[in-house]
Amino acid sequence: MRIFIAGGTGAVGVRMVPLLVAAGHEVYGSTRHEAGCETLAGMGATGIVMDPLDAQSVHDAVAKAAPEVVVHQLTALGGLSGNLKKWDQDFAMTNRLRTEGTDHLLAASRAAGVRRFVAQSFGGGWTYERTGGWVKDETAPLIVDPGKEARGTLAAIRHLESAVTAATDLEGVVLRYGNFYGPGNATSREGALGEMLRKGKMPVVGGGTGVWSFVHIDDVASATVAALDRGAPGIYNIVDDEPAPVNQWIPLLAEEVGGRNPMRLPAWLARPLIGEFGVALMTSVRGSSNAKAKRELGWTPSYATWREGFRTGIG
């Protein structure tokens, strides 16, 4: 197939390209700078400079690639502050890419006669309604109000998912990725989260009963490749087999990166520091089930659980 990856030099894109090239596909990837074209060429793909927030630039890039499948991997997650009270500020550019960028890509894809459109979303925990069971599948509703710190980010996710899945003139697939970990990511031995845990700067808040879902970055790439020609249009959770309570994953990751035993803080004491949204991340968010992705995409994560992955897959 001819495949266009919007965000070809991003964390997922650079792992997808070698897999696709090895499988014999003709791969094009967007980049914001000429240097990215050299990176993509070194992996056997063709780079195209594109401004994802400029409709004409996106139209020209997709038209040049003339792909059968477009993969939307546009984010701007570098340099996040880590301040949970500034979640929407940190995600402001990513939110534009999930709204304006998605609209531009869909319009360009329609004009180019693209058959299938695969887009990155999020399903690592906090977006689901925080009632009922602790593990949610794709039929569970998203939370109405995640807290003032993340309202803009949730609105952008809703926009992307609605725009892609409502498409009738192409096959729209949304992949709700779990929390990334692995080399080059914040959750890794040398990443920002690993550094915080080494310094004892990430406590367990309240009972630590919030449930997160993780996925190794290499498994993200393999699942996305699987979704290029498998599975009906719709939404899929791309996470590992074991949703992770905060009071279990933080101590284990701290141990693996050589950190201290995490402090325990009552929620009332942590709330002024991390906000209501931060407290929810620690105490009440829900994890995700990967049953649909395994069944319909024929995908199985190589790191079945975060326990195994934190021990052997964080660099």
Side-chain angles (χ1 to χ4, degrees):
M1 295 186 291
R2 289 170 69 94
I3 299 165
F4 178 76
I5 304 174
T9 55
V12 181
V14 296
R15 288 168 170 84
M16 284 185 67
V17 169
L19 298 177
L20 295 171
V21 170
H25 299 296
E26 188 173 353
V27 183
Y28 296 80
S30 81
T31 175
R32 301 186 195 197
H33 308 285
E34 287 291 345
C37 292
E38 298 178 13
T39 300
L40 288 161
M43 295 185 287
T46 300
I48 301 175
V49 175
M50 181 184 87
D51 178 353
L53 297 177
D54 182 284
Q56 188 62 51
S57 178
V58 176
H59 175 88
D60 293 345
V62 176
K64 182 176 181 180
E68 298 169 65
V69 180
V70 166
V71 183
H72 179 357
Q73 294 289 347
L74 296 169
T75 58
L77 301 179
L80 299 182
S81 71
N83 185 342
L84 299 180
K85 297 174 74 173
K86 296 183 177 180
W87 193 270
D88 277 347
Q89 292 95 312
D90 276 358
F91 279 82
M93 180 54 70
T94 292
N95 292 342
R96 290 189 66 191
L97 294 170
R98 285 173 170 162
T99 52
E100 298 168 54
T102 297
D103 291 346
H104 296 335
L105 269 176
L106 280 169
S109 296
R110 291 185 170 104
V114 168
R115 173 179 60 82
R116 194 170 179 91
F117 188 99
V118 180
Q120 175 189 148
S121 186
F122 179 75
W126 67 266
T127 54
Y128 283 115
E129 188 63 58
R130 297 166 196 161
T131 57
W134 287 91
V135 180
K136 305 293 188 179
D137 66 17
E138 294 83 352
T139 65
L142 298 183
I143 192 166
V144 174
D145 184 1
K148 63 181 181 180
E149 299 91 344
R151 286 170 186 158
T153 303
L154 181 64
I157 289 171
R158 284 185 180 277
H159 178 94
L160 179 149
E161 294 192 355
S162 176
V164 174
T165 58
T168 57
D169 48 354
L170 48 75
E171 299 171 358
V173 176
V174 169
L175 303 181
R176 288 178 176 166
Y177 297 147
N179 296 285
F180 293 173
Y181 70 93
N185 289 272
T187 306
S188 65
R189 197 171 302 281
E190 303 304 326
L193 186 55
E195 184 65 19
M196 287 177 64
L197 288 168
R198 266 192 297 279
K199 294 180 177 179
K201 292 184 176 181
M202 188 170 183
V204 174
V205 172
T209 49
V211 176
W212 296 33
S213 282
F214 286 96
V215 62
H216 192 278
I217 190 65
D218 289 340
D219 287 326
V220 171
S222 68
T224 309
V225 170
L228 299 184
D229 59 3
R230 295 182 226 170
I235 297 173
Y236 298 84
N237 290 331
I238 305 301
V239 297
D240 71 14
D241 294 346
E242 184 185 358
V246 166
N247 57 23
Q248 296 180 29
W249 75 258
I250 286 183
L252 180 58
L253 184 59
E255 179 182 352
E256 293 299 327
V257 300
R260 309 169 187 173
N261 189 36
M263 295 171 53
R264 300 276 179 149
L265 284 182
W268 67 266
L269 186 58
R271 188 170 286 108
L273 304 174
I274 63 176
E276 289 291 346
F277 180 66
V279 171
L281 287 176
M282 289 282 177
T283 61
S284 62
V285 297
R286 266 52 176 172
S288 306
S289 165
N290 66 10
K292 180 181 177 182
K294 293 175 77 173
R295 181 179 66 248
E296 299 189 20
L297 301 182
W299 169 75
T300 301
S302 58
Y303 291 92
T305 80
W306 54 275
R307 297 177 192 275
E308 169 195 352
F310 285 2
R311 293 190 179 100
T312 63
I314 58 171

